[in-house]
Amino acid sequence: MGCGVTKSDHFHKHSGKAIRAAVLIQRWYRQYVARTEMRRRYTWHIFQSIEYSGEQAQIKLYNFLGYLMDNFTPSSNERNLISHIFRENEVCRDAEWERYFCYKNIEVPEIYSGPHLTFPLTVEQAVGLVEAFRNKKQLHSRYVLQLLLETWKQLRMFPNINRISTCQSKEITICGDLHGQLEDLLLIFYKNGMPSLERPYLFNGDFVDRGKDSIEILLILFSFLLVYPSDIYLNRGNHEDHIVNLRYGFTKEVLTKYKMHGKRILKLLQKIFSWLPLATVIDQKVLVLHGGISDVTDLNCFANCCSQVFSPFTVCSVFHFKVKSLPLVTPDRLQILDLLWSDPMTQDGCTPNEVRGGGCYWGPDITEDFLNRHNLQLIIRSHECKQEGYEFCHNRKVLTLFSASNYYDVGSNRGAYVRLGPDLVPYVVQYQASSMIRELTVRQSVGRTERSALKVLREQLFAHKSDLLCAFKKYDSVVSLSDWATAVENVMHLGVPWRMLRCQLVTSKTSDGMINYHEWFNELAIHGPNTDSLLETLYRHRSTLETIFRIVDTDNSGFITIEDFRQTWKLLSVYLKMEITDDAISDLAVTIDSNQDGSIDIDEFMEAFRLTDKKSRLERGRSMFMGTATDLTKLEGDPNI
């Protein structure tokens, strides 16, 4: 040790290096986690913004149709065309409807291998239905109609607001949105147990749309409702609405699965939806409803009566009270919109929900006042997809619960349900239903979801190409990052972090960091005609286009006449404030009606504009664009356009 360096010096020297290395690794890991979380958040925000943009467009269409009803005379063609939307001519006795829905003339063939039902339904049959759907079997339309008829009769006995209680030996399980995702419902039953006298359930709306198994979910829930009418509870969601179903896929699903009797099934489901309770109160302390409240929500308006609530968007929306001593009344339909469509916000007050286009945003002060007025302590609601499947807000007095996992894409979010016992303290259980989740690392999962979100965002940018070009005209051919982000947001109104997304959306830039927006449009991973504004308009409003088609298709046949086709285009042109001449409509009709049979098939109609389904996981049925998405690569140079 003559050099003066001891073992202790060596030790301290190496330990110092180890500590510095550990600090660097720790710093790198924290930055990695922060970047991953940032990517998760902006990806989530893209999906949610585009989803709400679609809902906003749907409500604008409702308002437009309502305007037509208010401003056209009863005898006009325009009013006749859309009057069936609001079912003005369908006020008839329940007995007449029951004859229309009669299933007895429908034969079940011997080769049918699905489940057979007898009524009254038994527990074994309800459980057997779950197993049959797990094995991808389909229930015969005779049994579907029979089960739905029995459900309709049962629901007509329920009030608008169910009042239930837990007891010392029972917990009630509460589930949020399922949106046609049967895999999630099966997983809930596996983890939590089948519905029973000892295991009551409350399902909080949005059973249908976007997913591919909506009808199966309804049939399972209705079967258990019939077996345990005092232990299974169903609240209505904003998607239990026949007009919403036209846009977001449920109507199409039923007509595809039940080609022979789908129209009757849809009509009966429309009746059932209108009789679903709007809310449930547990132990007089916990309110469970789908959307939320506003500063004018009054539960007493809906309570203590058996009533039918039509679509909240129906112009003549009424409550039909079955209690003879009560007069026919028409409460404010905005209260129904609030219950089904509203979302909580962090700041005090109550404002219109302009993001969704319906309902309101309500703050902690509104929650506090509402709970005090009704002597409640907690609101459990659904309606919003949450990354963890649930979220508390308003000083833990509002709990959002969402049960459809992988809602936007594989790995995008967990699902959750809540168990609530006599102590009324929510116990949250989270899960993720896809087997693919276990095969993906966190980085892979975030990357996959991010790619899907950016693809959807690029499609939206393409759909607004003309508007974006107009917004950029006041600049030179190059713009700064700040000006680019401002111009894009002014057109898109999505509220996403454009500056942060620049690297993913814009690859080419000048040496000083400026963006050539002409080159940007050329480099987008979507290609289409640059000058055909009609095509761009059609693509942007493709969901509205198909919704209007289905509205005009009054009997859900999948066909419309040439004259109905003309009316469809008149509606669309008025709605979009664009002029389409009669000659152009006639030429279009001749082109589309290729077999010259005088009618136009909805699939042929959408195919004429290459607006057909693209069956990827993201876009197959839960897409925020209603369940159909466009393969934009087919648009370029299409001779049919």
Side-chain angles (χ1 to χ4, degrees):
M1 296 295 177
C3 63
V5 179
T6 66
K7 289 183 178 180
S8 175
D9 292 331
H10 280 293
F11 172 78
H12 286 300
K13 182 177 181 181
H14 286 297
S15 70
K17 287 183 178 179
I19 291 171
R20 285 195 296 275
V23 169
L24 286 173
I25 291 171
Q26 187 181 54
R27 186 181 300 162
W28 171 86
Y29 180 73
R30 285 176 177 170
Q31 290 174 344
Y32 166 76
V33 170
R35 284 196 302 270
T36 301
E37 180 59 24
M38 180 182 67
R39 290 169 62 196
R40 263 172 52 105
R41 288 186 180 183
Y42 74 61
T43 296
W44 184 263
H45 194 64
I46 292 170
F47 277 130
Q48 199 166 64
S49 296
I50 295 174
E51 178 185 13
Y52 290 174
S53 175
E55 291 184 343
Q56 190 180 103
Q58 178 73 357
I59 293 180
K60 284 179 180 176
L61 179 59
Y62 295 148
N63 293 337
F64 165 70
L65 295 172
Y67 167 81
L68 294 185
M69 291 295 288
D70 291 338
N71 289 276
F72 285 115
T73 60
S75 59
S76 69
N77 290 334
E78 291 83 359
R79 188 181 175 97
N80 288 336
L81 175 67
I82 61 172
S83 64
H84 71 280
I85 302 166
F86 303 118
R87 305 305 192 243
E88 290 185 318
N89 58 346
E90 292 186 357
V91 180
C92 53
R93 294 187 178 90
D94 290 341
E96 295 175 36
W97 280 118
E98 288 180 23
R99 283 195 294 273
Y100 172 75
F101 296 132
C102 183
Y103 54 85
K104 294 179 180 177
N105 60 341
I106 302 175
E107 295 289 333
V108 179
E110 291 185 9
I111 60 171
Y112 169 69
S113 61
H116 293 260
L117 302 182
T118 57
F119 293 83
L121 213 60
T122 64
V123 179
E124 291 75 21
Q125 287 180 308
V127 172
L129 206 55
V130 174
E131 291 307 309
F133 293 153
R134 187 197 307 275
N135 295 319
K136 311 299 182 187
K137 297 204 171 185
Q138 185 169 306
L139 185 64
H140 194 274
S141 55
R142 175 191 173 100
Y143 299 128
V144 172
L145 282 168
Q146 196 171 2
L147 193 154
L148 294 181
L149 263 176
E150 294 299 318
T151 303
W152 184 36
K153 293 174 186 176
Q154 185 70 49
L155 286 173
R156 276 144 57 186
M157 300 168 61
F158 293 163
N160 267 320
I161 297 180
N162 277 320
R163 295 186 180 272
I164 64 178
S165 61
T166 61
C167 66
Q168 294 306 315
S169 60
K170 283 188 181 179
E171 286 182 322
I172 185 164
T173 301
I174 305 167
C175 301
D177 300 37
L178 288 166
H179 277 302
Q181 297 185 193
L182 181 61
E183 193 179 2
D184 287 297
L185 181 61
L186 296 178
L187 183 57
I188 292 169
F189 286 166
Y190 173 77
K191 291 173 69 71
N192 195 63
M194 288 284 188
S196 66
L197 294 174
E198 294 73 33
R199 181 63 69 193
Y201 276 85
L202 166 56
F203 294 90
N204 198 25
D206 276 16
F207 319 118
V208 303
D209 279 332
R210 294 198 171 100
K212 61 182 177 63
D213 297 314
S214 295
I215 186 66
E216 286 78 11
I217 286 177
L218 286 180
L219 295 173
I220 288 172
L221 299 184
F222 292 161
S223 66
F224 281 112
L225 175 72
L226 293 175
V227 174
Y228 301 114
S230 299
D231 294 277
I232 301 299
Y233 308 95
L234 307 176
N235 285 344
R236 185 176 184 174
N238 65 307
H239 278 260
E240 278 67 63
D241 185 296
H242 67 279
I243 300 182
V244 176
N245 301 153
L246 288 169
R247 185 184 191 105
Y248 289 99
F250 181 52
T251 298
K252 186 175 182 179
E253 178 192 330
V254 173
L255 293 175
T256 300
K257 291 179 178 178
Y258 293 97
K259 293 180 172 63
M260 186 77 71
H261 303 287
K263 300 171 201 174
R264 272 198 284 178
I265 291 171
L266 281 171
K267 179 67 70 177
L268 185 45
L269 282 167
Q270 179 185 328
K271 292 285 178 187
I272 287 171
F273 289 167
S274 71
W275 285 94
L276 285 170
L278 294 169
T280 299
V281 178
I282 303 173
D283 288 348
Q284 301 182 46
K285 289 296 181 183
V286 178
L287 173 66
V288 185
L289 76 175
H290 181 72
I293 60 172
S294 71
D295 53 354
V296 298
T297 300
D298 182 4
L299 295 184
N300 297 322
C301 175
F302 307 103
N304 302 320
C305 56
C306 293
S307 56
Q308 179 180 15
V309 184
F310 294 97
S311 166
F313 297 104
T314 300
V315 171
C316 56
S317 177
V318 298
F319 281 43
H320 177 60
F321 288 92
K322 292 169 55 182
V323 184
K324 291 184 179 179
S325 60
L326 290 175
L328 187 69
V329 296
T330 308
D332 190 351
R333 63 178 175 151
L334 291 177
Q335 281 213 47
I336 307 172
L337 273 174
D338 291 338
L339 295 181
L340 300 181
W341 283 82
S342 295
D343 296 307
M345 64 179 181
T346 54
Q347 62 267 40
D348 284 346
C350 187
T351 61
N353 191 332
E354 294 181 354
V355 174
R356 289 190 192 266
C360 71
Y361 281 117
W362 89 93
D365 59 327
I366 305 298
T367 293
E368 196 70 35
D369 176 67
F370 177 84
L371 294 178
N372 289 336
R373 278 191 289 116
H374 291 88
N375 196 26
L376 298 166
Q377 66 185 46
L378 176 67
I379 296 173
I380 299 179
R381 43 91 61 178
S382 301
H383 194 43
E384 284 184 286
C385 183
K386 298 296 180 183
Q387 284 190 318
E388 296 303 319
Y390 76 99
E391 184 177 272
F392 281 98
C393 65
H394 295 184
N395 301 313
R396 295 184 70 85
K397 292 182 179 179
V398 174
L399 169 59
T400 296
L401 189 63
F402 199 82
S403 297
S405 64
N406 308 299
Y407 180 63
Y408 293 125
D409 197 6
V410 173
S412 62
N413 66 286
R414 296 182 182 184
Y417 59 87
V418 158
R419 291 206 294 261
L420 199 67
D423 60 0
L424 300 181
V425 176
Y427 175 72
V428 180
V429 180
Q430 297 169 284
Y431 56 86
Q432 213 148 11
S434 176
S435 58
M436 286 189 65
I437 294 300
R438 292 187 289 273
E439 301 167 11
L440 297 176
T441 65
V442 172
R443 184 175 182 179
Q444 288 171 330
S445 178
V446 171
R448 175 193 173 101
T449 310
E450 181 183 45
R451 287 191 296 274
S452 296
L454 291 170
K455 177 177 179 294
V456 170
L457 191 57
R458 288 188 187 98
E459 290 184 359
Q460 285 291 287
L461 290 167
F462 167 80
H464 292 79
K465 189 171 181 179
S466 295
D467 292 339
L468 286 167
L469 284 171
C470 287
F472 284 128
K473 274 184 179 176
K474 64 179 181 180
Y475 303 105
D476 293 329
S477 58
V478 294
V479 295
S480 68
L481 170 60
S482 177
D483 288 339
W484 173 83
T486 300
V488 173
E489 176 57 25
N490 286 342
V491 171
M492 303 300 293
H493 303 293
L494 292 177
V496 299
W498 297 107
R499 293 168 67 98
M500 189 185 300
L501 293 172
R502 193 281 313 274
C503 293
Q504 283 89 342
L505 295 174
V506 184
T507 57
S508 63
K509 60 181 187 291
T510 62
S511 57
D512 56 357
M514 302 288 279
I515 298 170
N516 185 312
Y517 59 84
H518 291 291
E519 290 183 6
W520 172 52
F521 278 117
N522 291 333
E523 75 179 23
L524 279 175
I526 301 166
H527 301 286
N530 294 324
T531 58
D532 195 335
S533 60
L534 176 59
L535 171 62
E536 183 186 320
T537 302
L538 290 176
Y539 174 66
R540 187 188 313 173
H541 298 281
R542 62 198 180 284
S543 298
T544 299
L545 186 62
E546 184 168 352
T547 303
I548 290 177
F549 189 110
R550 293 192 182 280
I551 286 172
V552 174
D553 178 19
T554 56
D555 61 356
N556 289 319
S557 66
F559 296 89
I560 60 174
T561 65
I562 297 295
E563 183 53 36
D564 285 341
F565 177 77
R566 294 178 190 276
Q567 296 297 331
T568 300
W569 278 99
K570 286 181 180 178
L571 275 180
L572 185 67
S573 61
V574 173
Y575 175 71
L576 299 179
K577 298 177 181 176
M578 57 186 288
E579 290 189 14
I580 305 175
T581 66
D582 288 341
D583 288 342
I585 294 173
S586 297
D587 292 342
L588 204 54
V590 170
T591 302
I592 293 173
D593 184 20
S594 55
N595 60 1
Q596 302 297 306
D597 64 351
S599 64
I600 296 172
D601 180 294
I602 189 167
D603 293 324
E604 293 173 347
F605 177 56
M606 301 306 285
E607 175 65 17
F609 301 98
R610 290 294 187 262
L611 303 178
T612 52
D613 284 356
K614 181 180 181 184
K615 301 184 184 301
S616 69
R617 166 141 183 119
L618 171 67
E619 295 151 344
R620 69 175 179 208
R622 72 185 58 174
S623 163
M624 55 289 303
F625 304 128
M626 175 209 73
T628 60
T630 304
D631 185 352
L632 290 172
T633 58
K634 294 181 180 178
L635 292 172
E636 191 168 19
D638 191 327
N640 292 321
I641 302 301

